Amino acid sequence: MKNPARKNVVPQVLIQTLKTHPVILALIGFVVLFSALYPERFLTPLNFSTILKQFVTLTLFALGPSIVVVTGSLDLSYVGIWMLGGILVWLLMPITGMFSILVIPLLGLVTGFLIGVIQVKAKIPSFILTLSLLVTYWGITATLSGGYPRSVREYAFITASLIPHLPTAFLWSIPIILAAIFVMKRTRIGTYIYAIGSNEEGAQLAGINVDKHKILAFTLSGLFTGVGAVILFPHLGGAAPVELNLNNVVGPLVAIVLGGTPLVGGSGGPQRTILGALTYAVVYRGLLLSLLHPEAVQLLVGLLLIVSIVVGSRGLKGVTIT
Amino acid sequence: MSSSLILRAEGIDKSYPGVHALDHVDFDLFEGEIHVLLGENGAGKSTFMKILSGSLPKDSGRITLRGQEVEILNPHHAWELGIGMVYQELSLIPSTSVAENIFLGRLPKRKPLGTVDWAETFSRARNILDDLGVDIDPRQRVRDLSMGERQLTEIAKALSMNVQILLLDEPTSALSEEERERLFHILRGLQEKGVAVIYVSHRLAEVPQIGQRVTVLRDGKKIGTLPVEQADEATLIRMMVGRELGEQFPKTEVPRGRELLRIRGLTVEGMLHDLNLTLHEGEILGIFGLLGSGRTPFARVLFGVDRMDSGEIFVDGNKVEISSPAEAIELGFGYLTEDRKEGLIPHLSIPANITLASLKQICQLGFLKHSEERQAAEKYVRELGIHTPKLHQRVEFLSGGNQQKVALAKWLCSRSKILIFDEPTRGIDVGAKAEVFRLMNDLAGQGVGIIMLSSELPEVLAMADRILVMAGGSFTAEFARGQGTQEDLMRYAVVR
Ligand SMILES: Nc1ncnc2c1ncn2[C@@H]1O[C@H](COP(=O)(O)OP(=O)(O)OP(=O)(O)O)[C@@H](O)[C@H]1O
Ligand SMILES: [Mg+2]
């Protein structure tokens, strides 16, 4: 064990962190770039509040699935849980009153568990499975709602403004984020999930019940999505939507990969996803402020996903992403 | 040596975060020379070889090939320059065939469309394997090969490249005596054609057999280069370790206790035939067998990874069914796999790997206790001399031998009662080997029963209380401690 000279320690740690978290550099770079390009419009409280709002949306959708990505699978069901959950709340409102909102986390939990069981037992690729489920949930939502967005105003208080310019949904998202990080970094289940994603056979040989923990990962994903959707429901307008917005599906995926959770699994997780979500939100906002057509912005976002997948899968200069 | 200099490396320097892996290393290599490179685990041997083979960039230094300075860009470029390498952590693709792996990137083409000439591919692979004297079907998938067979495939791949400089990083770590001999024979043949070889190994006995000169690295620095005539084992160890080493096989007699394990008629159709054994508290039971003898399949069945067709297993006198590793661990088993890649979690840290099989005891209500994990890990890092810049290093960044030590530490930490060690000393240095044997003794002293599967005759003879010889999926002989000689064991290991 060698100790580098003392005065070098701090810069060393800094350089190391930046090397393993290249997204931080990207984030700083984009903030500087946009601040320089349009100082009047980018550096405003209103703009930051808008960025935070999108950060919340991305994070609450991406948090759970990023646990599944650590195992090397994919979970695309999040938007479906939010949509179907919303319409169930509208349906239940006259019967169960204010308790109706609890149907969303319940739906998330059950959905995640079912996906896990089907995936483990039938060995269907999780991508196809969860994509089909997303489309199915969308179909059920459209049917139940009769094709109209159904608004439920009762829960607006959840996201009512407390501090000027600071979205209340952001405050709510903090404990959820911390809980996700805690599960992955401070519990046995989290360690097992990383182990399975990194080396499934090795995990099994260490006595880990691989199937059980894969199911658990999907269940956790569904649960976090469901809890997040309780905030997202009022945050995104308090209406049960009937249109599937592709942006809501792609954005969280970009956030996960951009944050540095490789799709092959084994490393990364929620603590990285929030970095990815913040960067994505900044880029998106910055591009919208530009004179580009919204379509052009979509194109650039697509490119961003490709670039982050390439960088994420190859690592930067031999540094694998933690 | 009158032949000419083929490769010279000057001031090769390479750092990883927190590790100065190579510290201005000078090295030269003559035509037709076999140059042995030695050093403890983590000394920088693989790093040096990877720089020469273009798979790692150097930080600074000069490499000259036949008097001309070169910048080796990547493995393919190295091959064009006449350099080929056998990697320590084998670089084969498990899902493809042996022949495809041998010719990867250089598959024979058929005119005019440039399609792959499969007939040619397989027949050329067959020839190379025949030259090596190994009986592997070129069409077989690498996934289905044993460790030793994979290593032979990797060697065949390097030999097929027709290079002038061959880099071999622990090529014999999974080979039997016989296969090793055959490899040496081939190397001597290449040597006559002027091919130069850099040869890394932890088997000091091989040095005079195969090498002409030896270079020793310690902590990334070159300690010296000697002709083999001056390089007796004691000198080499002193150069590698920096001090004298004590007893190599510190065996202590432990009184045999209760019966821990009894196996009756264990059979897997076409693979394992009617295996019977008993293991007692405090006993080290050696199972000696060559490649393909069935050692590893036997261990996998016992640990619940694979199923048996018939037979009975008794633990502490009770009949048990073992249908998963989790159940085996519950019953007190631990299993160090032959291929350490199988047993390690590359993305997790040293402490997480060491405690992985014991988390149920270390956790409280499912919450991790980092301080206890750290304490456990620190203990084994110290005892086994795991060479790492920081405790929380991810194991994928450790040198091969240090990974082996982490894999071993996992089972020491789990307090298993019955330990199955498949080639426990594979790829670890002399100092650490003695330490592993000392730990095995300590464990035996605490009443643990150890099944030591090994193809290292001297180790089995020195450490085991009883030795079963395995061949063709059956036990062919049993020797009490001190009864069999190397020749006896060998004789029963090759009969069918
Ligand atoms: N990718 C990496 N990242 C960080 N450190 C590394 C990496 N690869 C190797 N090291 C470190 O560099 C040092 C030299 O490693 P190297 O693999 O060359 O050792 P070695 O002599 O081949 O040992 P062994 O006998 O165990 O194979 C070790 O301390 C190791 O921990
Ligand atoms: Mg090495």
Side-chain angles (χ1 to χ4, degrees):
Chain A
M1 300 210 188
K2 289 167 199 152
N3 269 322
R6 197 132 179 80
K7 63 174 191 301
N8 281 338
V9 169
V10 172
Q12 275 257 339
V13 168
L14 206 67
I15 290 170
Q16 229 4 68
T17 313
L18 289 180
K19 260 194 182 167
T20 50
H21 297 64
V23 65
I24 297 180
L25 276 183
L27 178 59
I28 298 172
F30 281 121
V31 170
V32 171
L33 176 74
F34 293 130
S35 311
L37 280 180
Y38 9 85
E40 275 95 69
R41 285 180 299 155
F42 194 76
L43 293 172
T44 59
L46 177 67
N47 192 48
F48 279 125
S49 152
T50 315
I51 289 175
L52 274 188
K53 276 185 184 158
Q54 191 177 16
F55 166 79
V56 170
T57 310
L58 289 167
T59 300
L60 292 183
F61 274 140
L63 222 44
S66 68
I67 296 176
V68 169
V69 173
V70 168
T71 67
S73 294
L74 212 51
D75 183 358
L76 298 175
S77 66
Y78 39 93
V79 171
I81 292 173
W82 165 66
M83 289 173 80
L84 182 57
I87 205 72
L88 289 179
V89 170
W90 172 74
L91 280 176
L92 286 174
M93 202 63 202
I95 312 164
T96 48
M98 290 308 275
F99 290 109
S100 313
I101 195 83
L102 294 178
V103 77
I104 311 184
L106 191 67
L107 176 70
L109 187 77
V110 172
T111 307
F113 178 74
L114 284 180
I115 296 174
V117 171
I118 297 173
Q119 214 257 328
V120 163
K121 298 294 170 216
K123 308 239 183 289
I124 305 170
S126 56
F127 171 74
I128 300 296
L129 177 62
T130 57
L131 187 66
S132 325
L133 200 88
L134 167 62
V135 175
T136 310
Y137 275 22
W138 171 35
I140 302 176
T141 308
T143 312
L144 290 178
S145 67
Y148 299 99
R150 302 294 184 172
S151 87
V152 182
R153 293 270 158 250
E154 279 82 349
Y155 299 104
F157 72 92
I158 295 179
T159 49
S161 176
L162 292 175
I163 305 168
H165 299 305
L166 193 68
T168 307
F170 173 70
L171 297 178
W172 281 116
S173 70
I174 293 173
I176 303 177
I177 292 169
L178 291 180
I181 296 177
F182 183 85
V183 168
M184 290 303 280
K185 289 290 174 188
R186 288 283 183 274
T187 70
R188 191 167 70 211
I189 291 173
T191 305
Y192 285 0
I193 288 176
Y194 279 107
I196 290 169
S198 178
N199 177 2
E200 193 170 319
E201 174 156 34
Q204 196 208 358
L205 286 172
I208 297 171
N209 186 334
V210 172
D211 284 355
K212 176 176 139 190
H213 284 89
K214 278 187 173 171
I215 296 174
L216 257 171
F218 279 104
T219 310
L220 280 169
S221 172
L223 181 63
F224 275 108
T225 302
V227 172
V230 171
I231 315 299
L232 286 177
F233 183 61
H235 181 62
L236 295 176
V242 288
E243 296 290 340
L244 183 61
N245 179 352
L246 199 58
N247 254 338
N248 284 334
V249 180
V250 176
L253 274 186
V254 179
I256 292 173
V257 178
L258 188 62
T261 304
L263 292 178
V264 291
S267 59
Q271 73 284 5
R272 285 187 162 266
T273 297
I274 51 176
L275 287 173
L278 190 58
T279 312
Y280 178 95
V282 166
V283 172
Y284 199 75
R285 189 66 199 150
L287 291 176
L288 280 182
L289 287 178
S290 72
L291 297 172
L292 293 173
H293 252 279
E295 283 80 12
V297 172
Q298 291 307 331
L299 176 84
L300 288 173
V301 166
L303 287 178
L304 185 68
L305 176 64
I306 294 170
V307 170
S308 51
I309 288 177
V310 171
V311 173
S313 63
R314 303 187 58 201
L316 276 178
K317 294 202 196 99
V319 179
T320 353
I321 307 231
T322 349
Chain B
M1 195 157 305
S2 58
S3 52
S4 62
L5 195 65
I6 185 165
L7 173 133
R8 159 164 284 166
E10 292 163 285
I12 304 295
D13 208 81
K14 174 82 188 174
S15 291
Y16 295 109
V19 192
H20 202 163
L22 290 175
D23 189 353
H24 294 91
V25 171
D26 300 329
F27 187 90
D28 50 22
L29 184 67
F30 291 97
E31 233 167 59
E33 175 190 33
I34 299 183
H35 195 145
V36 183
L37 187 59
L38 295 178
E40 284 183 289
N41 296 133
K45 305 177 296 292
S46 299
T47 306
F48 183 69
M49 304 271 271
K50 283 182 190 161
I51 287 174
L52 293 183
S53 74
S55 50
L56 266 184
K58 58 184 181 325
D59 292 347
S60 63
R62 275 157 47 96
I63 297 173
T64 27
L65 267 182
R66 294 184 204 82
Q68 217 161 38
E69 183 166 351
V70 288
E71 200 58 49
I72 303 170
L73 302 172
N74 53 49
H76 193 260
H77 183 215
W79 174 57
E80 287 171 347
L81 292 170
I83 303 175
M85 174 156 174
V86 169
Y87 292 90
Q88 178 182 12
E89 304 306 327
L90 306 179
S91 61
L92 304 173
I93 300 172
S95 55
T96 53
S97 71
V98 168
E100 282 169 277
N101 269 284
I102 291 178
F103 292 109
L104 200 67
R106 305 168 291 123
L107 285 168
K109 297 282 162 58
R110 197 164 33 191
K111 300 219 165 87
L113 289 177
T115 49
V116 174
D117 188 343
W118 288 112
E120 174 78 5
T121 304
F122 287 120
S123 79
R124 272 171 56 186
R126 182 70 270 159
N127 286 341
I128 293 167
L129 292 168
D130 282 345
D131 284 350
L132 258 175
V134 289
D135 184 29
I136 303 175
D137 179 1
R139 291 167 196 272
Q140 209 171 349
R141 284 205 291 177
V142 166
R143 173 176 300 140
D144 303 325
L145 300 182
S146 75
M147 262 323 270
E149 288 168 330
R150 287 183 204 193
Q151 203 159 41
L152 288 167
T153 305
E154 182 90 18
I155 293 169
K157 177 176 162 186
L159 293 179
S160 74
M161 292 180 175
N162 293 320
V163 291
Q164 280 95 56
I165 299 177
L166 194 54
L167 311 174
L168 304 174
D169 197 352
E170 299 192 32
T172 54
S173 64
L175 298 192
S176 69
E177 202 94 20
E178 212 186 338
E179 287 150 349
R180 221 176 304 161
E181 272 310 319
R182 219 146 37 204
L183 174 67
F184 288 172
H185 182 73
I186 292 174
L187 290 182
R188 288 189 197 104
L190 289 174
Q191 188 175 15
E192 265 155 37
K193 293 189 211 149
V195 174
V197 178
I198 308 181
Y199 187 97
V200 172
S201 180
H202 285 294
R203 298 173 195 260
L204 298 183
E206 291 178 355
V207 175
Q209 288 174 20
I210 188 74
Q212 279 85 56
R213 287 192 301 159
V214 196
T215 292
V216 176
L217 296 179
R218 191 200 312 154
D219 289 335
K221 294 191 193 59
K222 174 166 151 179
I223 301 300
T225 301
L226 295 176
V228 282
E229 297 76 44
Q230 296 167 24
D232 57 286
E233 218 160 278
T235 310
L236 290 176
I237 290 176
R238 202 167 341 102
M239 288 171 80
M240 285 167 64
V241 189
R243 62 189 154 82
E244 301 286 342
L245 266 192
E247 173 86 78
Q248 261 281 272
F249 298 111
K251 172 73 183 170
T252 47
E253 297 294 332
V254 173
R256 203 191 218 211
R258 288 181 306 124
E259 178 183 293
L260 275 176
L261 175 71
R262 170 179 293 269
I263 297 172
R264 281 285 151 261
L266 189 152
T267 300
V268 174
E269 298 301 336
M271 188 145 49
L272 301 174
H273 316 292
D274 189 25
L275 300 178
N276 298 293
L277 67 73
T278 54
L279 177 73
H280 295 81
E281 280 183 341
E283 185 178 38
I284 300 179
L285 173 64
I287 298 185
F288 171 74
L290 302 175
L291 241 183
S293 60
R295 284 179 297 150
T296 301
F298 168 65
R300 286 173 64 91
V301 168
L302 192 52
F303 197 62
V305 189
D306 296 329
R307 295 290 94 76
M308 61 185 175
D309 292 323
S310 62
E312 295 173 314
I313 298 174
F314 300 87
V315 173
D316 286 332
N318 303 316
K319 184 160 189 276
V320 294
E321 299 288 334
I322 306 175
S323 56
S324 72
E327 286 177 26
I329 291 170
E330 200 69 27
L331 288 167
F333 284 88
Y335 173 37
L336 177 74
T337 50
E338 181 183 23
D339 179 359
R340 56 180 156 261
K341 268 195 202 152
E342 256 172 40
L344 286 172
I345 310 296
H347 290 95
L348 289 183
S349 66
I350 295 173
N353 268 283
I354 291 181
T355 56
L356 195 63
S358 349
L359 273 188
K360 290 214 172 91
Q361 288 88 39
I362 290 181
C363 285
Q364 207 160 33
L365 299 169
F367 298 124
L368 300 180
K369 293 206 277 189
H370 283 296
S371 62
E372 288 194 18
E373 278 186 46
R374 181 154 21 84
Q375 273 170 19
E378 269 167 356
K379 173 166 174 262
Y380 293 108
V381 165
R382 195 167 358 93
E383 285 185 2
L384 294 174
I386 298 174
H387 188 101
T388 173
K390 57 176 199 276
L391 188 65
H392 282 272
Q393 184 80 327
R394 284 161 67 166
V395 299
E396 64 177 319
F397 297 136
L398 295 180
S399 78
N402 285 304
Q403 291 182 353
Q404 179 75 4
K405 293 178 192 172
V406 172
L408 194 63
K410 175 169 70 184
W411 297 114
L412 300 178
C413 182
S414 76
R415 310 198 171 284
S416 311
K417 283 187 316 187
I418 302 170
L419 285 170
I420 309 164
F421 284 166
D422 199 350
E423 300 287 359
T425 59
R426 176 164 176 253
I428 67 182
D429 61 49
V430 272
K433 263 182 202 167
E435 195 55 34
V436 167
F437 293 142
R438 198 184 58 71
L439 279 164
M440 283 170 63
N441 270 325
D442 289 356
L443 289 169
Q446 292 157 24
V448 173
I450 300 175
I451 300 178
M452 175 184 177
L453 308 168
S454 179
S455 54
E456 300 285 327
L457 275 171
E459 293 186 5
V460 185
L461 285 169
M463 293 305 298
D465 294 301
R466 202 151 50 91
I467 303 170
L468 286 168
V469 183
M470 197 167 187
S474 311
F475 293 136
T476 50
E478 177 169 346
F479 294 94
R481 181 173 176 74
Q483 280 193 346
T485 62
Q486 298 212 6
E487 289 70 36
D488 295 335
L489 265 67
M490 223 34 213
R491 196 163 53 244
Y492 285 100
V494 291
V495 296
R496 288 248 107 201

